[in-house]
């Protein structure tokens, strides 16, 4: 089975809402739990969204960085953090950014 172009890491409120929105618009999305993420999970993703608690973002970024292809986009959704948690991904030649929603996510 071919992996989805967009990988959302985190099955909480934000991750589930993003996955539902993208899927409803025809995007191929894979939603995985954050605590089990590894570098192997990201090998074919073009976009990786880390929808995880602030305290675990840097650790998750470090775990996935070795599996990232050059030019993959890695985003996180933490409103109070900048790009610092994604430094490992940037070093792995990924494009990094912050995608914080302006609206709250439904339960």
């Amino acid at each position: 089975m071919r992996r989805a172009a967009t990988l959302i890491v985190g099955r909480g409120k934000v991750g589930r809402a993003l996955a539902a929105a993208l899927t409803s618009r025809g995007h191929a999305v894979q939603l995985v739990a954050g605590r089990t993420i590894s570098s192997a999970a990201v090998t074919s993703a073009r976009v990786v969204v880390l929808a995880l608690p602030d305290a675990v973002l840097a650790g998750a970024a470090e775990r996935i960085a070795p599996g990232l292809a050059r030019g993959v986009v890695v985003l996180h959704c933490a409103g109070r953090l900048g790009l610092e948690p994604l430094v490992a991904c940037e070093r792995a030649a990924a494009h990094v950014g912050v995608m914080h929603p302006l609206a709250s996510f439904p339960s």
Side-chain angles (χ1 to χ4, degrees):
M1 181 170 93
R2 200 177 89 182
R3 289 211 177 112
T6 302
L7 175 68
I8 299 175
V9 181
R11 292 183 179 198
K13 192 178 352 179
V14 174
R16 288 191 322 267
L18 287 172
L22 290 169
T23 301
S24 74
R25 286 160 182 81
H27 295 275
V29 175
Q30 181 180 9
L31 181 63
V32 298
R35 60 182 93 74
T36 61
I37 192 65
S38 69
S39 62
V42 300
T43 55
S44 61
R46 292 187 326 196
V47 177
V48 178
V49 179
L50 299 176
L52 299 167
D54 298 0
V56 300
L57 278 174
E62 289 171 11
R63 285 195 310 277
I64 68 168
L68 294 171
R70 183 178 212 50
V72 167
V73 174
V74 179
L75 306 167
H76 75 68
C77 302
R80 69 179 190 92
L81 299 177
L83 298 175
E84 299 82 20
L86 303 179
V87 145
C89 296
E90 191 171 35
R91 287 186 187 135
H95 302 290
V96 298
V98 178
M99 182 183 75
H100 185 263
L102 295 175
S104 61
F105 283 85
S107 298

